[in-house]
Amino acid sequence: MQNFWLAVLYYIAAYIIVTVIGILHTIFNIYVLHYKSMKNSPGMGEAYEKTKPFHPLYNLLIFPPFAWLYLLSVSNASIGLALSVGAMWVAITIIGDLIGWVLIKHPWSLSFREFYLDYQPWISLTYLIIFLSPLLAYAIMSII
């Protein structure tokens, strides 16, 4: 894979942006829309639960532009490279999510069931979008 670390850097930037948007959306739901926080309702709270359907959308808006930037930076972008980057990004996401949101305990951590079963279909759609983002970026690059 060309510029492996650059692909990782673009991934990290996109993941951080998506995560911050999700957190800000939850905070907005608590303070502006007055949904219950995790302190006042079960699980992650009503405010977070209301953001779940938007998570795939955040990823669809953020990951393809970062994939496009990465593919622009390599000398010979190809569909094979786009597939490799998508596979790497989704693998990093799945492993990172397991470690960061399930295994490491913190105030916002979830159980395995909450993250992988109760979060359906949103988590699966999110992973699919992350995998397809470089392919989408490559397709757009090929058209223009």
Side-chain angles (χ1 to χ4, degrees):
M1 180 181 308
Q2 295 181 17
N3 297 324
F4 172 81
W5 291 110
L6 186 60
V8 172
L9 182 66
Y10 279 123
Y11 165 81
I12 291 169
Y15 189 89
I16 288 171
I17 290 169
V18 166
T19 302
V20 168
I21 290 170
I23 291 168
L24 291 175
H25 189 178
T26 301
I27 291 168
F28 175 85
N29 284 352
I30 293 168
Y31 291 103
V32 176
L33 300 180
H34 306 291
Y35 288 125
K36 295 177 183 174
S37 69
M38 61 191 291
K39 292 178 184 177
N40 302 321
S41 59
M44 289 295 290
E46 179 187 27
Y48 170 74
E49 293 296 323
K50 296 289 186 180
T51 69
K52 285 182 179 180
F54 294 94
H55 294 182
L57 178 62
Y58 306 151
N59 286 275
L60 184 60
L61 294 173
I62 301 301
F63 271 90
F66 279 87
W68 180 73
L69 289 170
Y70 169 71
L71 292 173
L72 279 178
S73 75
V74 299
S75 58
N76 294 333
S78 66
I79 195 160
L81 178 62
L83 280 168
S84 296
V85 171
M88 178 183 72
W89 282 6
V90 79
I92 292 170
T93 305
I94 291 168
I95 294 166
D97 283 350
L98 176 63
I99 294 168
W101 297 109
V102 178
L103 297 179
I104 296 174
K105 299 304 176 197
H106 51 81
W108 288 8
S109 65
L110 299 166
S111 69
F112 186 88
R113 177 181 178 74
E114 288 170 324
F115 197 83
Y116 292 103
L117 299 176
D118 297 344
Y119 192 7
Q120 293 298 337
W122 315 117
I123 191 65
S124 293
L125 289 171
T126 296
Y127 290 158
L128 180 63
I129 288 166
I130 290 170
F131 172 71
L132 294 175
S133 289
L135 292 169
L136 178 61
Y138 180 75
I140 292 169
M141 287 175 66
S142 298
I143 293 169
I144 57 173

